[in-house]
Amino acid sequence: MLDEAQHWIQSHYPYWDRKGGRDHIWLVTHDEGSCWIPNSIRPSHILSHWDRMDENHTAWTHYVPDTYSVEYQHDLWLPKGHLRRLTKGPCFDPKKDLVVPALHSIVTYGHSPLLGVPAEERTYLAIFKGRMQFFSQRYSRQTRQRIAKRAWSEDWEHKHRILIMDHGNKTEQSYSELMATSIFCLAIIGDGWTTRVEDAIVHGCIPVLLMDNVVPVFGNIIKEEDVYVRVAFEDAERLPEILKAIPESEILRKQRNIRKVWRRYAWTSVKWQQERLQQVMEHNWEQLKDDPNGTEREPQREAPFDPAKGDALQTLMEWLYGRMSAE
């Protein structure tokens, strides 16, 4: 479809040939980012939610229709096959592409202390809740499954304060409340793309990236070492040892940095989000005013802010404006 769209644009307008498509923008929402896009649009700026830097990549998904690295032919639409259209080498070009956050409803982070909800102690060292799919050998490259088996067999929850849950596990706390009470939040690949990076950031939780050679959200704008922790697939079962070895000073540094940039990971300027967000924040501020210990309970909170400014959309537009001078 993207090949056909590019051909239609080029044949109907003069703009594509002006710079060979380098001044065009495409949003691709495939689970494995831009790895599947055709060569015809590769010169353009590619926006995705997730992308890869490995040289000889193949699909990680267990979902057959999304397996881009398998040959497919059609007598009419693809008589020469599908694979010839794909670019070899990294899917992501940090000079012209950008990984952007997903658009979430305020409901998904309504309990974030960054919105003024009275903060609870971060009693968990790390948490993860998501699909495991033990029946699949391809899903998550077995990373989620390996972590879950080790965590449950060795009782990580009580020994290390690391809570690993399957998607179907019932808890008294919501997912938002759990993230607000954890120091680290695990961002583990599924079929590819996961929203858990931005989920963690908007809760003031440090994302732990378990996704080798994958570019995180705004990875070429915000320094990875300032807000993230990266753990290699092969070290997944050593998570307790790795996370406990991170100095308190480094944890505090990352938390301070997250408080500075978290709004960049949320699309708060979207009109349908603004009214609800304002209501949530005003309600939380009023609760804190009525709480004699409000200041001590919420050291992370900041003054009410304008949701129309400094969000993911403004970040994207600022980045695109910066790219104009490079064309």
Side-chain angles (χ1 to χ4, degrees), residues 4-223:
E4 287 74 22
Q6 183 277 330
H7 177 73
W8 190 90
I9 292 170
Q10 186 175 19
S11 61
H12 284 73
Y13 299 98
Y15 312 117
W16 186 270
D17 290 332
R18 180 176 54 192
K19 293 188 176 182
R22 293 194 308 276
D23 53 358
H24 285 58
I25 303 165
W26 299 79
L27 173 65
V28 296
T29 56
H30 192 277
D31 267 357
E32 298 196 67
S34 67
C35 292
W36 65 283
I37 68 171
N39 291 324
S40 59
I41 70 168
R42 184 61 72 179
S44 303
H45 297 293
I46 308 298
L47 307 180
S48 63
H49 295 313
W50 192 87
D51 238 318
R52 293 171 61 178
M53 291 292 292
D54 36 345
E55 288 283 346
N56 300 308
H57 56 84
T58 56
W60 284 347
T61 182
H62 85 298
Y63 184 58
V64 175
D66 277 356
T67 308
Y68 68 85
S69 52
V70 172
E71 183 62 287
Y72 175 78
Q73 290 181 293
H74 186 280
D75 290 343
L76 178 61
W77 300 110
L78 288 170
K80 296 182 180 180
H82 155 72
L83 293 179
R84 68 179 182 84
R85 306 183 306 168
L86 304 184
T87 302
K88 296 185 184 300
C91 310
F92 181 81
D93 183 347
K95 295 180 180 178
K96 68 175 187 65
D97 301 334
L98 189 66
V99 177
V100 297
L103 174 59
H104 276 331
S105 166
I106 177 64
V107 174
T108 62
Y109 57 102
H111 289 279
S112 170
L114 297 172
L115 294 184
V117 175
E120 302 294 336
E121 182 183 356
R122 292 191 180 266
T123 52
Y124 288 113
L125 176 63
I127 67 150
F128 177 81
K129 184 176 183 179
R131 290 187 298 159
M132 297 299 175
Q133 301 193 191
F134 291 103
F135 61 86
S136 172
Q137 292 300 310
R138 292 181 60 86
Y139 183 73
S140 186
R141 297 194 65 184
Q142 284 287 302
T143 310
R144 293 187 184 187
Q145 298 91 322
R146 285 167 46 217
I147 291 173
K149 289 176 182 177
R150 181 64 63 88
W152 297 341
S153 67
E154 297 183 358
D155 194 13
W156 282 9
E157 181 178 359
H158 295 101
K159 288 183 179 179
H160 308 296
R161 297 181 296 120
I162 296 177
L163 181 62
I164 306 295
M165 296 176 291
D166 189 85
H167 182 71
N169 290 151
K170 302 295 183 182
T171 59
E172 293 183 3
Q173 294 173 292
S174 68
Y175 184 48
S176 180
E177 289 171 319
L178 285 170
M179 285 188 286
T181 56
S182 185
I183 297 170
F184 297 101
C185 293
L186 307 185
I188 315 172
I189 64 163
D191 271 321
W193 168 66
T194 174
T195 66
R196 285 173 176 79
V197 170
E198 49 265 51
D199 288 346
I201 292 286
V202 298
H203 285 86
C205 189
I206 301 170
V208 179
L209 309 177
L210 286 112
M211 44 180 77
D212 291 4
N213 297 308
V214 171
V215 182
V217 174
F218 294 144
N220 49 339
I221 295 179
I222 296 171
K223 290 182 179 180

Side-chain angles (χ1 to χ4, degrees), residues 236-266:
E237 289 153 310
R238 295 178 51 236
L239 273 170
E241 172 192 348
I242 292 170
L243 296 182
K244 286 181 176 181
I246 299 175
E248 180 70 17
S249 59
E250 180 65 3
I251 291 173
L252 293 173
R253 185 184 74 87
K254 291 181 187 292
Q255 289 175 331
R256 286 194 298 269
N257 289 334
I258 288 172
R259 292 198 293 273
K260 294 175 184 176
V261 302
W262 75 270
R263 282 189 277 151
R264 302 285 184 176
Y265 290 75

